[in-house]
DNA sequence: CGCACACGGCGTCAGGATCA
DNA sequence: TGATCCTGACGCCGTGTGCG
């Protein structure tokens, strides 16, 4: 886990932050991921936010892990069960593209840019803000307490232009169990807002000014070390060797299933959080619509003495 | 303090879905 | 068609909480 200190002043050109992950992977954060205070943000602001994974800076196996992760996401998105969840989340968002049943290789996105259907359009953060993801990847962060229609004009963050090779587009945001804000990105990584800056490891630069700090976490655990590939069956002779081979296979299968179960539970929790966030957002929208309806009723049918 | 209960996480198994 | 993956179900364990 590595803390990302927000750099730059937040004005002018977006700041660029290079972050070294414990695995040696370098993460390139362009722009400032900032949580606006309700009293500060008065007018729409445009910021460019990119969380880019620079594969070129890592020639080791970690870069292959990122590609594998993206590949796995693509593969998972073609699975009916996974597709069903994502389509459900995007069902009432007409602007959100659904995952198609089958796509030809030419139509698919290049593997270095992980793009999949954004599950849903609106999320609520721990601070009560709403994060709306529109078609094209535009991210809107709004303050529910602000005046205006639906309160959706407080802050706009957008992925502008084509991401560089190896870039990872912020996928969606949700609220974590510990109350921190999370921006989920493909590849099973999350960008989490720090609650306290002292949580930052000593090898990282301290947070600058009043800029909130963020951490990039990899929720999935790596496979345990020491996995020995089984010898080819043809090289086995004695029953003891066969038994050892069977034991190895079983251990390997159990280990993989362990990891799969963890990942499955993590996805399920993530999905439930998304649903809960959506419920909260829809309740607020419903309340606003009811109020708007009452207002229109009053306008259309003024009291007569 | 001890006990019962609820809750969440984990490991494992089984079976369906998918891939090569 | 076998291998692999995903996920529901089950049991176990640790932790928190309320109660006597």
């Amino acid at each position: 886990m590595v803390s990302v200190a927000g750099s730059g002043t937040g004005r002018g050109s977006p700041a660029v932050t290079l972050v070294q992950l414990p695995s040696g992977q370098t993460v390139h954060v362009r722009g400032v991921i900032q949580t606006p205070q309700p009293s500060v943000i008065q007018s729409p602001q445009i910021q460019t936010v990119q969380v880019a994974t620079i594969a070129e800076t890592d020639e080791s196996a970690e870069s292959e892990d990122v590609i594998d992760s993206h590949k796995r996401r693509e593969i998972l998105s073609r699975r009916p069960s996974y597709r069903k969840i994502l389509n459900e989340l995007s069902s009432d968002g007409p602007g959100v593209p659904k995952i198609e049943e089958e796509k030809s290789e030419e139509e698919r996105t290049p593997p270095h840019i992980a793009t999949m259907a954004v599950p849903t359009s609106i999320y609520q953060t721990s601070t009560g803000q709403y994060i709306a993801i529109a078609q094209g990847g535009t991210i809107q962060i709004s303050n529910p307490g602000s005046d205006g229609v639906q309160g959706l004009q407080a802050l706009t963050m957008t992925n502008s232009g084509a991401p560089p090779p190896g870039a990872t587009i912020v996928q969606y945001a949700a609220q974590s169990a510990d109350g921190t804000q999370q921006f989920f990105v493909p590849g099973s990584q999350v960008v989490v807002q720090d609650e306290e800056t002292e949580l930052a490891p000593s090898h990282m630069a301290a947070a600058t000014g009043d800029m909130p700090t963020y951490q990039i976490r990899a929720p999935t655990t790596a496979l345990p070390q020491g996995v020995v590939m089984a010898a080819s069956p043809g090289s086995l002779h004695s029953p003891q060797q066969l038994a050892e081979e069977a034991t190895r296979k079983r251990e390997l299968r159990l280990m993989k299933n362990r990891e799969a179960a963890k990942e499955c539970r993590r996805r399920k929790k993530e999905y439930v959080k998304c649903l809960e966030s959506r419920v909260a957002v829809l309740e607020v929208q419903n309340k606003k619509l009811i109020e708007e309806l009452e207002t229109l009723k009053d306008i259309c049918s003024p009291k007569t003495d």
Side-chain angles (χ1 to χ4, degrees), chain A residues 10-23:
Chain A
R11 295 171 181 267
S13 60
V16 176
T17 306
L18 283 175
V19 180
Q20 189 79 19
L21 299 179
S23 61

Side-chain angles (χ1 to χ4, degrees), chain A residues 2-5 194 196-207 213 215:
Chain A
V2 167
S3 290
V4 181
D194 268 348
E196 297 174 324
T197 55
E198 60 258 30
L199 292 177
S202 58
H203 66 276
M204 283 298 302
T213 61
Q215 298 173 348

Side-chain angles (χ1 to χ4, degrees), chain A residues 156-191:
Chain A
T156 298
M157 304 164 77
T158 176
N159 295 316
S160 66
T168 300
I169 301 172
V170 172
Q171 185 181 343
Y172 62 92
Q175 180 179 347
S176 69
D178 54 2
T180 59
Q181 281 182 277
Q182 292 186 347
F183 298 86
F184 290 91
V185 297
S188 300
Q189 285 186 334
V190 292
V191 180

